[in-house]
Amino acid sequence: MRAALIQCLVSGDKERDVQNAAARIAEAAKNGAQLVMLPEMFCCPYTNRCFAAYAEPVGGSIYTAMQQAAADNGVVLVAGSFPERRGDKIYNTAFAFDETGAQLARHRKMHLFDIDVAGGQSFKESKTFTAGDEVTVFDCSLGRFGICVCFDMRFPELSRCMTLRGAQAILVPAAFNMTTGPAHWELMFRQRAVDNQLFTLGCSPARDEKGEYVAYGNSIVCSPWGTVVARAGAKETILYADLDLGDNESIRAQLPLLSARRTDVYELKEIKG
């Protein structure tokens, strides 16, 4: 399977960014990509100021453009994430589409990015977004995949839930910043790959040093052994990786972490005395 991670710049012009994403999807497909992924907020500046203004319902212009891009190019598309409006709520939502443009999955970011790092980044997604509450795994022509969005990947329980539901790879539209990216980006993707013995793929926006929120870039693909298969730099690019999902079972047979779990004792118990 050839995967393509589109590390695109976010200009702030929604229509322009959607058109750029569609052009990059077509380019990836011409280069043999079967699975294509876009970053978190690929067509919306990553600020609370923009989230509500850019929000659209299912069936809006962003959604239909991504459906069409998947169908036009015959790829499985994880369409990054964008602000999804549903009634009076707004979600940070990732949609996946099959080769015909039919929706495969919807993941609403479960863990909202509310942080305050001393001397670094401070941000509160919860000022705008409502948290999702579903573990998202979907089947397609290429296999079974899990999706989560950015900060979700920091929580090992979620990755394990996707793994136990049969995910062969975890696909993560994300937008780490220049505080958290250098510290944890590669470490996190490699560790989730090692913990669950599957592929992990993280797709970031390209870095815009003049932007209000400066993304780290460095889109990444890690193997079930924890090896970095491919990694981008800071600039706009398409990162390709050829993956054999059969490697999961090969690694699990050699190092039986999942089958050796002690589920009979994995619980919190009150200690008396």
Side-chain angles (χ1 to χ4, degrees):
M1 179 186 74
R2 171 160 279 199
L5 281 58
I6 298 175
Q7 184 167 290
C8 50
L9 280 170
V10 181
S11 72
D13 181 326
K14 179 164 64 173
E15 184 176 350
R16 175 183 171 186
D17 288 338
V18 169
Q19 290 175 350
N20 180 49
R24 292 294 188 134
I25 293 165
E27 179 183 347
K30 288 179 181 177
N31 286 324
Q34 300 156 282
L35 172 69
V36 181
M37 181 161 56
L38 293 166
E40 182 180 25
M41 293 295 144
F42 73 95
C43 59
C44 174
Y46 193 84
T47 69
N48 278 299
R49 176 177 53 82
C50 293
F51 293 151
Y54 283 61
E56 293 185 1
V58 171
S61 63
I62 303 170
Y63 183 94
T64 55
M66 293 300 99
Q67 275 190 308
Q68 193 65 51
D72 286 347
N73 296 287
V75 296
V76 174
L77 174 64
V78 177
S81 79
F82 63 86
E84 177 207 358
R85 185 181 296 279
R86 182 173 176 83
D88 61 353
K89 295 180 179 179
I90 300 174
Y91 299 92
N92 185 343
T93 305
F95 291 95
F97 303 101
D98 72 10
E99 297 92 338
T100 71
Q103 182 180 312
L104 289 165
R106 178 201 65 203
H107 179 77
R108 292 170 171 161
K109 191 173 186 177
M110 295 174 60
H111 304 90
L112 299 183
F113 186 57
D114 286 6
I115 68 160
D116 189 7
V117 179
Q121 189 76 30
S122 179
F123 202 95
K124 290 194 179 298
E125 275 191 324
S126 61
K127 288 182 177 179
T128 304
F129 288 126
T130 298
D133 58 5
E134 295 179 334
V135 178
T136 307
V137 175
F138 69 91
D139 291 306
C140 67
S141 61
L142 303 174
R144 175 171 286 190
F145 302 121
I147 304 179
C148 62
V149 176
C150 200
F151 201 53
D152 284 338
M153 192 63 162
R154 286 189 175 272
F155 297 84
E157 298 91 341
L158 178 56
S159 294
R160 180 52 55 88
C161 285
M162 289 187 278
T163 300
L164 294 178
R165 295 184 185 192
Q168 296 167 285
I170 297 176
L171 313 176
V172 191
F176 271 42
N177 55 65
M178 295 304 296
T179 299
T180 59
H184 299 145
W185 177 260
E186 179 181 319
L187 174 68
M188 182 183 70
F189 278 93
R190 293 183 68 188
Q191 190 60 61
R192 295 292 168 269
V194 169
D195 287 345
N196 298 293
Q197 300 180 304
L198 44 57
F199 288 95
T200 58
L201 293 78
C203 187
S204 168
R207 190 181 307 168
D208 178 3
E209 298 285 0
K210 298 179 181 179
E212 188 172 341
Y213 180 95
V214 182
Y216 181 52
N218 285 271
S219 295
I220 194 168
V221 178
C222 296
S223 78
W225 188 251
T227 304
V228 177
V229 175
R231 181 170 175 169
K235 296 181 179 180
E236 190 168 29
T237 190
I238 300 177
L239 182 69
Y240 295 95
D242 294 313
L243 310 179
D244 182 351
L245 298 180
D247 289 350
N248 292 359
E249 294 309 317
S250 174
I251 295 300
R252 291 172 184 178
Q254 298 171 63
L255 192 65
L257 301 183
L258 294 175
S259 61
R261 290 178 306 120
R262 288 294 306 274
T263 56
D264 58 320
V265 296
Y266 293 162
E267 62 178 322
L268 296 176
K269 296 180 180 180
E270 182 180 357
I271 299 176
K272 298 180 179 180

